[in-house]
Amino acid sequence: KASLIVGSSIPTSILMSLIVMTRAGFTLNIITMSGLVLGVGMMVDNSIVVLESCFRAMDKQQDKGALGYAKAALEGTNIVVASIFGSTVTTCVVFNGMSGQMFGAMGYTIVFCMCASLLSAIAIVPLCYMMYKPKERSSAPATRPLTFLQDAYRKIMPVLLKHKAIVMLASVGIIVANGVPGKRHADGVNDRR
C-alpha cells in the first residue's frame, strides 16, 4: 500500500504539470519532454518524505484506528511541510537558473513538475495514507541486509569519531589520490594503476 501511495504521486504530478504547461503555452517537444524526464525522477522524493513522516507519527499515536491514521497524516505532514517546501524551492531555483538560461521551456517544465509534486505530497499522500491505512512490514526481503548495515554503522561510528584526525587525513589522501592523473598510453586512455 505504501508503494502504491508513493507511486500515485507520479501520474498525478505529471497530469498537473501537463495542465500547467498547456496553460503556459508550451507544447510537447524534445525540450519539454526532457524537462518531464528530469522532473519524474524527483517527483517521488517529497511523497516519500511525507509518507515516512506519517509512519513515524503513527508510531507515536495511542489510537491505532481510523482516527489515529487521520491524526498521524495531519501531524506527519505538518512536521515536514516546511522542509519539503524549502527543498522544492531550492531545486526550482537551481533548475530554472541553469537550464532556464539555455532552454527556457525545460526549466519551466521542471519547475512545474516540482511544484506539482509538492502539491501532491502535501494533499494527496496524507489523504491516501488516511484512507488505505498502510502498515510497515518488518519481514520484507531487504530487511535483514539493511539491519546488518545499520548495526555495522552503529558499531563503527563511535570508533571513527574517537579518531577524527586519522579519518580526515585518510579522506584527504583519497581525494588527492583520485585527482592525480595517470600515465597516458599511446591511445590516450589514462592508466591509474
Side-chain angles (χ1 to χ4, degrees), residues 95-153:
F95 273 102
N96 205 17
M98 285 171 35
S99 56
Q101 300 280 332
M102 297 180 290
F103 312 107
M106 180 189 286
Y108 283 114
T109 303
I110 294 171
V111 169
F112 296 155
C113 288
M114 295 306 297
C115 292
S117 75
L118 176 66
L119 189 60
S120 173
I122 62 175
I124 295 170
V125 170
L127 179 65
C128 290
Y129 181 82
M130 186 180 65
M131 287 175 54
Y132 299 134
K133 301 174 182 57
K135 292 180 174 58
E136 285 187 293
R137 283 178 24 189
S138 58
S139 61
T143 301
R144 183 175 283 165
L146 288 175
T147 304
F148 173 76
L149 287 173
Q150 286 176 347
D151 292 341
Y153 183 78

Side-chain angles (χ1 to χ4, degrees), residues 39-54:
V40 165
M42 297 178 283
M43 278 182 186
V44 295
D45 295 345
N46 292 336
S47 298
I48 290 171
V49 170
V50 170
L51 188 65
E52 184 65 24
S53 181
C54 291

Side-chain angles (χ1 to χ4, degrees), residues 14-67:
I14 289 177
L15 182 62
M16 284 192 275
S17 301
L18 290 173
I19 291 169
V20 176
M21 283 170 59
T22 304
R23 298 297 297 164
F26 295 142
T27 59
L28 284 179
N29 52 36
I30 298 291
I31 301 296
T32 55
M33 290 296 283
S34 300
L36 280 173
V37 167
L38 287 170
V40 165
M42 297 178 283
M43 278 182 186
V44 295
D45 295 345
N46 292 336
S47 298
I48 290 171
V49 170
V50 170
L51 188 65
E52 184 65 24
S53 181
C54 291
F55 276 124
R56 296 289 74 81
M58 187 63 191
D59 289 343
K60 297 175 186 172
Q61 291 291 329
Q62 302 297 327
D63 179 17
K64 301 295 182 184
L67 189 59

